[in-house]
Amino acid sequence: MYLEQRIEQLENVTVEHGKQIEMIATGLATLTTTVNNGFNEMRNEFRLVHEKFAAQDRRFERLEGRMDRIEADVAVLKTDVAVLKTDVAVLKTDVAEIKGRLDVMSGQFGKMTEGIETLVELIKTKMN
């Protein structure tokens, strides 16, 4: 009987070990599924982050292009302003020269007026 009891005990132990192995296998399967799901979620999150970074990179490239165009426009504007300053300086010189000529002409008109007045006086005197 001792042998039968030992066999029965071994069968019970074997059944218990089987149950434990089954529980461990179930837990391991659940854990594996959870880990795989977690890795899939992380991959998806990393993909989303990568897409967002790619979108930001494209946006920065567009902004850099715009900044380059703005810098070129500013350079053109600076050149235009320099040309305008030169033109204004030339115009100021021309205006000063014209004022000088007008002053000379005014003096000459003054002399002519005096001369005409003198002639008118002489003519009046000769007619009388």
Side-chain angles (χ1 to χ4, degrees):
M1 192 70 141
Y2 175 74
L3 192 55
E4 289 174 358
Q5 286 177 347
R6 288 297 285 167
I7 289 175
E8 191 177 324
Q9 283 178 349
L10 284 174
E11 285 175 353
N12 289 338
V13 168
T14 303
V15 168
E16 286 298 317
H17 280 280
K19 288 179 183 177
Q20 289 175 355
I21 289 172
E22 190 177 313
M23 284 175 32
I24 290 172
T26 302
L28 183 59
T30 302
L31 180 62
T32 301
T33 302
T34 303
V35 168
N36 283 338
N37 289 340
F39 280 130
N40 287 336
E41 287 176 17
M42 289 305 296
R43 281 187 203 103
N44 287 335
E45 289 294 322
F46 282 132
R47 182 182 50 78
L48 291 174
V49 168
H50 178 71
E51 288 173 1
K52 287 182 180 179
F53 275 121
Q56 290 299 324
D57 286 342
R58 287 189 299 274
R59 185 172 181 226
F60 281 127
E61 287 172 3
R62 286 193 313 268
L63 288 174
E64 286 174 349
R66 288 178 185 164
M67 286 300 296
D68 291 342
R69 287 192 305 273
I70 288 171
E71 287 174 354
D73 290 346
V74 166
V76 169
L77 288 173
K78 284 182 179 178
T79 303
D80 290 348
V81 166
V83 169
L84 288 173
K85 284 181 178 179
T86 304
D87 290 348
V88 166
V90 168
L91 288 174
K92 283 182 179 179
T93 304
D94 290 349
V95 166
E97 184 179 319
I98 289 170
K99 282 182 179 178
R101 286 181 180 175
L102 286 175
D103 289 343
V104 168
M105 288 174 66
S106 177
Q108 289 174 346
F109 282 129
K111 287 180 183 177
M112 286 176 55
T113 304
E114 289 174 11
I116 291 173
E117 289 174 354
T118 306
L119 283 174
V120 168
E121 289 297 319
L122 281 174
I123 292 172
K124 283 181 183 180
T125 327
K126 295 272 182 185
M127 291 178 107
N128 288 336

